[in-house]
């Protein structure tokens, strides 16, 4: 079992994913500011795990202060605002905080009861995520043939969720079911979530895999017998347009060209039915330095112009199906997503 997050003695312990796979170091959060910092710097990342961490951030905020009653509630309201603004694209963050909202706004006159209600709901979100991962794995089994070669992008495993993952939960379930699969993991520039994190998880579970550079996936589709591509998502619009790690869109375009089915795996907490299409999804733009350098070593001319969108949107028409915790939704997505 990978220990990516733990709650003990009022301390939220997070595995510092920036240091993987070289160092396994944990951050002990006793202040919600530390959790915000972990989310912003990608020490903790992946849409569902960001949501779980934010929910726990509210609990940490309620416990770090001596304030009582209405002052305590105001303190928690302030924490909620800051946590909500920590990253813009993964809707699981907003979803988790929305779930916390009725408890945040409830009567704080009995401070102990107020704090324990916050803790109960945040742990509900956490435990539910473990179950959602399990169900995605179960439902996803049917799309993975025996001896399948699978391409995946970014990290969608235990390091991105509280459980087995999203796309990686499907991969794990297929491996456990004895399907003799082989995974091609995109390294995922610029921050190498595929190379550093997915490869680490696959090795941990002894799932056969080959690490490839992002630019190799078309070559791999042409020259290896690839049966499917499966990735996660950070936000899925009502029509099925799906935001995920930068590079996913290009992968889906190439999959279409090579007649390889492209699937998304995501829990219902990643759906944003308040928006009709992917055009309305805010794409996080990150620092230029992440592209200009890696691990503090400059890999490009100093101060050169850089573009660094953290995500892109794959249009629904390129997606063969969305594997959710409530079953697989096939195109056209608008009705199917509403139903689940
Ligand atoms: O910037 P990150 O590392 O948080 O991006 C993560 C992804 O893009 C994942 O693919 C996504 O969260 C879905 S899988 C849980």
């Amino acid at each position: 079992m990978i220990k990516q997050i733990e709650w003990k003695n009022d301390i939220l312990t997070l595995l510092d994913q920036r240091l993987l796979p070289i160092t396994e170091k944990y951050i002990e959060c006793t202040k919600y500011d530390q959790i915000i910092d972990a989310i912003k710097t990608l020490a903790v990342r992946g849409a569902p795990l960001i949501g779980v961490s934010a929910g726990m951030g509210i609990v940490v905020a309620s416990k770090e202060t001596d304030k009582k009653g209405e002052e305590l509630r105001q303190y928690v309201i302030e924490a909620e605002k800051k946590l909500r603004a920590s990253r813009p694209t993964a809707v699981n963050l907003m979803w988790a905080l929305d779930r916390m909202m009725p408890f945040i706004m409830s009567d704080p006159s009995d401070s102990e009861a107020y704090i324990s209600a916050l803790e109960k709901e945040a742990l509900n979100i956490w435990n539910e995520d473990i179950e959602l991962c399990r169900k995605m794995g179960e439902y996803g089994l049917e799309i993975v043939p025996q001896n399948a070669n699978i391409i995946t992008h970014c990290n969608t495993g235990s390091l991105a969720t509280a459980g087995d993952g999203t796309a990686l939960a499907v991969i794990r379930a297929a491996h456990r079911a004895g399907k003799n699969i082989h995974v091609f993991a995109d390294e995922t520039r610029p921050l190498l979530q595929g190379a550093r994190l997915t490869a680490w998880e696959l090795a941990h579970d002894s799932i056969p895999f080959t690490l490839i550079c992002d630019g190799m996936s078309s070559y791999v589709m042409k020259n290896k017998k690839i049966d499917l591509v499966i990735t996660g998502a950070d936000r899925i619009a009502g029509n099925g347009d799906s935001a995920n790690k930068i590079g996913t869109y290009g992968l889906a375009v190439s999959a279409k060209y090579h007649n390889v089915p492209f699937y998304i795996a995501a829990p219902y907490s990643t759906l944003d039915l308040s928006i009709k299409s992917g055009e309305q999804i805010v794409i996080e733009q990150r620092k230029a330095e992440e592209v200009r350098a890696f691990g503090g070593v400059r890999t490009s001319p100093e101060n050169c112009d850089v573009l660094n969108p953290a995500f892109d949107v794959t249009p629904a028409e390129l997606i063969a199906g969305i594997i959710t915790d409530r079953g697989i939704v096939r195109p056209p997505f608008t009705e199917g997503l509403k139903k689940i």
Side-chain angles (χ1 to χ4, degrees), residues 46-92:
L49 193 57
I50 292 171
V52 169
S53 305
M56 293 308 297
I58 296 293
V59 182
V60 169
S62 72
K63 291 186 182 240
E64 74 186 49
T65 174
D66 292 336
K67 295 183 195 302
K68 302 260 178 272
E70 187 49 34
E71 280 193 356
L72 168 63
R73 180 162 72 171
Q74 287 309 320
Y75 190 81
V76 175
I77 288 173
E78 185 63 20
E80 192 278 334
K81 275 195 202 126
K82 290 191 191 158
L83 281 159
R84 191 175 282 267
S86 57
R87 284 191 85 185
T89 306
V91 76
N92 306 63

Side-chain angles (χ1 to χ4, degrees), residues 267-288:
Y268 82 96
S269 48
T270 302
L271 300 181
D272 184 356
L273 301 187
S274 75
I275 55 170
K276 282 208 178 98
S277 83
E279 303 230 335
Q280 290 159 275
I281 299 177
V282 177
I283 299 293
E284 176 183 9
Q285 304 290 329
R286 293 187 63 87
K287 285 190 190 133

Side-chain angles (χ1 to χ4, degrees), residues 62-219:
S62 72
K63 291 186 182 240
E64 74 186 49
T65 174
D66 292 336
K67 295 183 195 302
K68 302 260 178 272
E70 187 49 34
E71 280 193 356
L72 168 63
R73 180 162 72 171
Q74 287 309 320
Y75 190 81
V76 175
I77 288 173
E78 185 63 20
E80 192 278 334
K81 275 195 202 126
K82 290 191 191 158
L83 281 159
R84 191 175 282 267
S86 57
R87 284 191 85 185
T89 306
V91 76
N92 306 63
L93 170 67
M94 297 72 185
W95 173 86
L97 292 170
D98 287 346
R99 278 264 304 253
M100 296 300 294
M101 216 39 163
F103 300 91
I104 295 172
M105 298 316 288
S106 69
D107 178 5
S109 47
D110 179 343
S111 301
E112 242 173 67
Y114 177 77
I115 293 170
S116 90
L118 292 175
E119 184 170 1
K120 191 163 169 240
E121 187 59 3
L123 292 175
N124 282 343
I125 292 170
W126 182 332
N127 288 323
E128 184 182 321
D129 190 59
I130 298 172
E131 187 56 16
L132 298 179
C133 293
R134 197 187 61 72
K135 288 190 178 148
M136 278 182 279
E138 246 173 43
Y139 283 119
L141 266 185
E142 75 172 66
I143 60 140
V144 183
Q146 199 68 30
N147 304 317
N149 284 327
I150 306 169
I151 297 183
T152 191
H153 192 67
C154 196
N155 173 265
T156 63
S158 300
L159 296 171
T161 62
D164 265 356
T166 57
L168 225 59
V170 175
I171 287 169
R172 283 194 158 107
H175 175 69
R176 283 184 199 130
K179 291 210 174 187
N180 189 34
I181 58 167
H182 190 95
V183 179
F184 289 86
D186 278 355
E187 66 171 350
T188 317
R189 277 284 290 150
L191 296 180
L192 304 188
Q193 287 93 331
R196 295 187 303 104
L197 310 177
T198 300
W200 184 77
E201 285 201 45
L202 291 169
H204 178 277
D205 283 20
S206 304
I207 299 175
F209 74 95
T210 303
L211 177 64
I212 57 173
C213 301
D214 297 351
M216 294 175 189
S217 49
S218 295
Y219 170 93

Side-chain angles (χ1 to χ4, degrees), residues 4-23:
Q4 72 282 55
I5 182 167
E6 191 182 60
W7 178 238
K8 222 178 183 178
N9 304 329
D10 293 348
I11 299 171
L12 187 73
T13 302
L14 300 170
L15 178 56
D16 188 344
Q17 299 191 25
R18 294 167 300 186
L19 306 178
L20 289 174
I22 309 296
T23 308

Side-chain angles (χ1 to χ4, degrees), residues 20-38:
L20 289 174
I22 309 296
T23 308
E24 286 178 41
K25 196 173 155 223
Y26 287 87
I27 307 168
E28 296 197 337
C29 306
T30 49
K31 301 254 185 291
Y32 78 85
D33 271 352
Q34 292 171 284
I35 299 170
I36 291 176
D37 187 60

